[in-house]
Amino acid sequence: MDILTEKGQQSLRHEDRMLVAIKKKYGVDIIETDKDSPALCDGFMVRNGVTTGVFESKCRNATVQDFKKWGSWLVTYEKIDGLAWMSNKLCIPALGFLYSIPDDVILMWHITDREGNYKFEFRVEKTITQATINGGKAERENAYLPIDKAQAL
């Protein structure tokens, strides 16, 4: 299991740091999904016992400037599609959180509204990318979320 490797554990520590910052900024609790399973989302935001959002979160060893140069954040389309489905069924917005490790900056995308409608256009393309944090290659449909739709927290 990738999460059990040294790289996986290091990524988990970065993600924990990011989620603590999100909790503090928005005054929410975070309920995470099991890291050992391919869940449709990484977690839920909850305030006063009410679910207020569903999210995908990633940590990358790239600067905000790198993402600006690339023009987007690459996320598997299956994850984005799953977020939109959950957003629609649960009547909550879907969010994407990207932690730039070198900059110690969190970028956030409001991916859907409460009905699961995408809030912006993005490109979907089948590409070969790194399979997991530990390497390998995988061909899959990827979504490219425009960097100009992100806000820094």
Side-chain angles (χ1 to χ4, degrees), residues 72-123:
S72 61
W73 170 29
L74 182 153
V75 185
T76 59
Y77 177 67
E78 182 179 31
K79 284 291 216 170
I80 300 304
D81 186 51
L83 286 176
W85 182 84
M86 292 181 75
S87 169
N88 173 266
K89 299 304 178 196
L90 299 174
C91 300
I92 54 176
L95 307 168
F97 295 108
L98 174 63
Y99 180 53
S100 164
I101 297 167
D103 291 340
D104 190 29
V105 169
I106 302 167
L107 297 174
M108 180 182 67
W109 282 258
H110 284 273
I111 299 171
T112 71
D113 61 19
R114 296 174 55 90
E115 287 79 40
N117 301 306
Y118 292 118
K119 294 189 76 167
F120 53 86
E121 291 184 16
F122 55 90
R123 180 170 51 100

Side-chain angles (χ1 to χ4, degrees), residues 126-130 137-140 142:
K126 187 176 266 191
T127 56
I128 297 173
T129 56
Q130 184 171 310
K137 298 286 182 198
E139 182 178 20
R140 53 190 161 209
N142 290 303

Side-chain angles (χ1 to χ4, degrees), residues 64 67-68 71-73 98 107 109 145-151:
V64 173
F67 289 103
K68 287 181 180 178
S72 61
W73 170 29
L98 174 63
L107 297 174
W109 282 258
L145 305 186
I147 193 69
D148 65 352
K149 300 301 181 185
Q151 64 184 84

